[in-house]
Amino acid sequence: LRDVAFQRDALRGSAVDCAVAIASGRLPASAQIEDKALKLVMNVIFPKNVDCADKVITSAAKELEFATRFAIENHEKIKKANEASARKKEKHGYSSKSALAPQSDEEKQALDRVRKPVVLVMALAVRRPEIIKAIMENGCRDGADVLAKAIRTNMPKLARAAATKHGAAKIAVQVADMASKKEAPLLICFLDNLVTAADKSLPSQELID
């Protein structure tokens, strides 16, 4: 995939699409292959040149859209499973999990499905903060609750990395300017995590670079 992306201009987009789809978990592969694809995308293809970087961004946006559609299409199924799980726990006197924890097996499986594209797009957003807009926009779409939960779960890492690379004040203003009224819940989540970023451990240098 690397050789095709670098040496065959006509096939570069397809090669990048394939690598990003593997890295995001949509194309079936072992965990080891997914990890290698992620490193290829982030550390080799993206830094190569502007054209490669743009194609990675475009491919990642597609994967985020796939994840969003998956979340919306499975919204009612997850909602019913969560309600059934809540009734069962109440009956047996179990305490509720944290708001960001999966409330049912169905939600856990869905979170596992959408987490990888979210993490990939967030890693790219550290380098290209303008795509934080796409993260908030998709996460606030009607019925995309499980995607929003995955975004909220990983928001601390994004906020810390973005603040380290760009400065907390600068990135706060930039993201606030991008957000629409509908995206306010995820904007507030991002800003809340920026406030506490200084008290958290620094993200890995690999994520920042």
Side-chain angles (χ1 to χ4, degrees):
L1 288 175
R2 180 195 60 192
D3 291 344
V4 172
F6 289 168
Q7 298 174 14
R8 300 193 179 187
D9 292 348
L11 298 176
R12 178 173 297 155
S14 297
V16 173
D17 282 346
C18 184
V20 171
I22 294 171
S24 66
R26 186 170 61 84
L27 289 184
S30 66
Q32 183 179 17
I33 295 300
E34 285 183 359
D35 184 60
K36 287 182 177 181
L38 180 61
K39 290 178 179 178
L40 174 65
V41 170
M42 297 302 303
N43 301 334
V44 180
I45 298 177
F46 185 87
K48 179 68 174 178
N49 54 49
V50 173
D51 184 55
C52 285
D54 288 345
K55 282 183 168 55
V56 168
I57 296 292
T58 299
S59 295
K62 293 177 187 176
E63 294 303 322
L64 185 61
E65 176 60 27
F66 282 130
T68 305
R69 292 210 305 261
F70 173 87
I72 293 171
E73 289 167 1
N74 287 275
H75 173 68
E76 287 300 322
K77 176 183 176 183
I78 295 168
K79 181 181 177 182
K80 290 178 181 177
N82 286 353
E83 290 171 349
S85 179
R87 288 193 298 269
K88 184 177 180 180
K89 290 173 185 175
E90 184 178 358
K91 180 179 179 181
H92 293 283
Y94 296 147
S95 58
S96 299
K97 296 180 179 179
S98 68
L100 294 180
Q103 304 300 307
S104 64
D105 290 341
E106 286 77 4
E107 188 175 40
K108 183 180 184 302
Q109 292 171 4
L111 282 169
D112 289 342
R113 166 66 179 82
V114 302
R115 180 185 61 80
K116 290 175 184 176
V118 165
V119 170
L120 173 61
V121 174
M122 284 186 168
L124 292 168
V126 176
R127 297 153 174 79
R128 295 271 190 94
E130 63 271 16
I131 66 175
I132 294 175
K133 167 70 175 176
I135 295 172
M136 296 189 298
E137 187 174 47
N138 282 277
C140 290
R141 284 171 61 178
D142 294 338
D145 296 26
V146 74
L147 180 71
K149 183 175 280 193
I151 291 170
R152 287 178 181 276
T153 300
N154 290 280
M155 195 70 89
K157 295 178 182 178
L158 172 60
R160 290 200 303 271
T164 301
K165 190 171 183 68
H166 303 285
K170 180 180 178 181
I171 198 67
V173 172
Q174 184 175 354
V175 174
D177 285 344
M178 286 189 263
S180 68
K181 183 177 180 180
K182 186 175 182 179
E183 294 149 17
L186 288 182
L187 169 63
I188 292 171
C189 178
F190 179 78
L191 296 178
D192 282 346
N193 280 285
L194 275 182
V195 170
T196 58
D199 299 326
K200 303 289 185 178
S201 60
L202 291 175
S204 67
Q205 191 63 39
E206 181 179 343
L207 181 61
I208 297 171
D209 290 340

